Amino acid sequence: MTKTTVELGQYPLQVRPEPLHLRPWTKRESIVPAPPPSREPSFRSSDQWSQKALAAESELPPVDRGIGAWKFLFGAFMIEAFMFGYPLNYGVFQNYYSTHAPFEGNTNLSNIGTLGTCFYYLGAPIATYLVRRYSRCQKAMIWAGFAVCIVGLGAAGWAKDFGSLVATQGVTFGMGLLIMYYPIFNMMNEWFVERRGLALAVICASTGVTGLFYPFLLEILLNKYGPATTLRLSAVGLMVLCGPCVFLFKNREPVTRDHKVPATDYSFLKMPLFYLFCLAGLLQGLGFFFPTIYLPSYAVSLGFSGTMGAMLLMVYSLAQVLGQMAFGYISDMRVKRFWLDERVPVQLLLFVSTFVSGIAIFALWGPARSLGMLIAFAIFYGVSSGAFAVLWARMSSTLSPSPAMALTTFSYFALMKGIGNVVTGPISSALISLSPAIHRDAYANGKFKGLVVFSGACMMASAAVMVVWYVGKVVAGRLRRKGQFCECPA
């Protein structure tokens, strides 16, 4: 056994081993591991990444200032003023259609104006999805929407029946606005960051500026040339005025063919503050449209002429411009005084807007018996109510600073107002029918009492939503100080 063991133990020494350099080594049999692959990243530290990002940012046009931002803002101002301002002044067409053949006595004429604007509101979530999905086609979308609007308005000049008028001046023009607008708003989020509220205020205020002369111009054209020629002239005029402005729109950051669009962040759906914003917007939208629609009729019921009613709308438009500019500027302010910490809370501005609107409706419109009170109502209501839509930009940035999420949340706020726009007609008809007779000694002349109470109550309820947010924040703060955990809207 010992000898065998020795022989076996010495056996490897008696065999000449195969030269190592001739043996076909495999990767699995290799004793010495292969050296790791060379790793030479283009940037070896986060500082170098930051330097490249800063260098790329420095090559882009500046935000909130510069010729690129101001050219974009001018183009958006013109498009909003004349394109979106056209369906907002549809009341002039409605008055003409209702008193002239072939549409005289038609009770559904208001649907044309509603369709002209409701697509812009109700189709907002779909439009923003398409803008995000096909970001390389944003400029093409603007051109396509602009062309659809012009074609719809021009084709309305050849409409001979009510259905054709609905399809052209209503549906086609409204779809064109929907296709054209949301790429513009997406670009606005790129060009304006710190001054986004003011930029949106300038854009929204443009409809108030054209409201000072648009109704009178359309009324002159209708009385002189009729609706067919007026619609065709309007199509040509909008093409001449707004067509060159489309060339001013471009993305601040170039969108290349291999550009990858980040997935839309829907985390805002988990934020209670988002639902409070939507509820406040829905309530405000339900009460917003009644005063502007019925203020001229209310003035006529008091014995004033139709010209005075148009003058009240002009005062309202001017006050709306001032209010939107003021609220937009304040929403961008950074204050470090009293209870404020940097930017003015948008919730506070929303409360002021809706609360003042409600007070103006109850205290000025309802008991109004003189032209002076109606003018005062037009001023206070114009300054406060028109500011709500201007605050959508800051409402979005309050939920998230991401431009992608800002556009998505913006579309939901527009949807809430669109619901109010659609149901305004049926609700107003039902409220007017409750008391069709005029009683000079009654509140709101009796006939308009339901409208005044409903509109004012919606504004007050919208303001109450912001009070609920504030109370919830205070209670959550106290619970945190006591060591208890509580989630509360920011």
Side-chain angles (χ1 to χ4, degrees), residues 164-215:
S164 300
L165 203 61
V166 169
T168 52
Q169 191 175 1
V171 175
T172 305
F173 192 87
M175 288 297 295
L177 287 179
L178 174 65
I179 298 170
M180 177 176 57
Y181 259 76
Y182 288 95
I184 296 177
F185 283 127
N186 187 49
M187 293 178 183
M188 184 196 73
N189 291 333
E190 296 181 12
W191 284 105
F192 293 92
V193 179
E194 292 296 323
R195 297 182 180 179
R196 187 175 297 170
L198 182 59
L200 184 60
V202 171
I203 296 173
C204 293
S206 61
T207 55
V209 173
T210 52
L212 300 176
F213 62 87
Y214 229 152

Side-chain angles (χ1 to χ4, degrees), residues 156-352:
W158 279 273
K160 302 299 182 183
D161 55 80
F162 179 72
S164 300
L165 203 61
V166 169
T168 52
Q169 191 175 1
V171 175
T172 305
F173 192 87
M175 288 297 295
L177 287 179
L178 174 65
I179 298 170
M180 177 176 57
Y181 259 76
Y182 288 95
I184 296 177
F185 283 127
N186 187 49
M187 293 178 183
M188 184 196 73
N189 291 333
E190 296 181 12
W191 284 105
F192 293 92
V193 179
E194 292 296 323
R195 297 182 180 179
R196 187 175 297 170
L198 182 59
L200 184 60
V202 171
I203 296 173
C204 293
S206 61
T207 55
V209 173
T210 52
L212 300 176
F213 62 87
Y214 229 152
F216 303 101
L217 176 61
L218 292 175
E219 188 171 3
I220 292 173
L221 292 174
L222 285 170
N223 293 329
K224 188 173 183 179
Y225 301 107
T229 304
T230 299
L231 288 168
R232 296 168 196 165
L233 289 175
S234 299
V236 174
L238 291 178
M239 185 167 56
V240 172
L241 282 173
C242 301
C245 296
V246 180
F247 291 99
L248 302 177
F249 297 126
K250 66 177 183 179
N251 294 88
R252 177 176 174 267
E253 300 179 6
V255 182
T256 58
R257 183 174 296 274
D258 57 348
H259 175 71
K260 294 183 179 180
V261 180
T264 302
D265 185 5
Y266 288 100
S267 61
F268 62 88
L269 295 176
K270 301 178 182 179
M271 301 179 184
L273 185 58
F274 168 72
Y275 296 99
L276 291 178
F277 281 159
C278 287
L279 179 59
L282 176 62
L283 293 170
Q284 198 267 353
L286 288 173
F288 172 77
F289 296 96
F290 294 109
T292 56
I293 294 174
Y294 288 96
L295 188 57
S297 301
Y298 190 93
V300 172
S301 70
L302 293 177
F304 298 105
S305 64
T307 304
M308 287 293 101
M311 187 269 293
L312 289 172
L313 290 182
M314 185 178 69
V315 173
Y316 167 81
S317 297
L318 181 60
Q320 183 181 10
V321 171
L322 299 177
Q324 289 175 333
M325 295 295 292
F327 273 79
Y329 177 79
I330 294 173
S331 68
D332 290 334
M333 289 178 57
R334 291 187 175 274
V335 183
K336 293 185 179 180
R337 294 180 180 179
F338 307 112
W339 69 95
L340 299 179
D341 183 13
E342 293 189 349
R343 203 181 298 278
V344 178
V346 69
Q347 296 89 337
L348 176 62
L349 298 177
L350 291 172
F351 172 79
V352 172

Side-chain angles (χ1 to χ4, degrees), residues 414-427:
L415 174 63
M416 294 299 105
K417 189 168 185 177
I419 295 174
N421 183 29
V422 171
V423 303
T424 292
I427 291 178

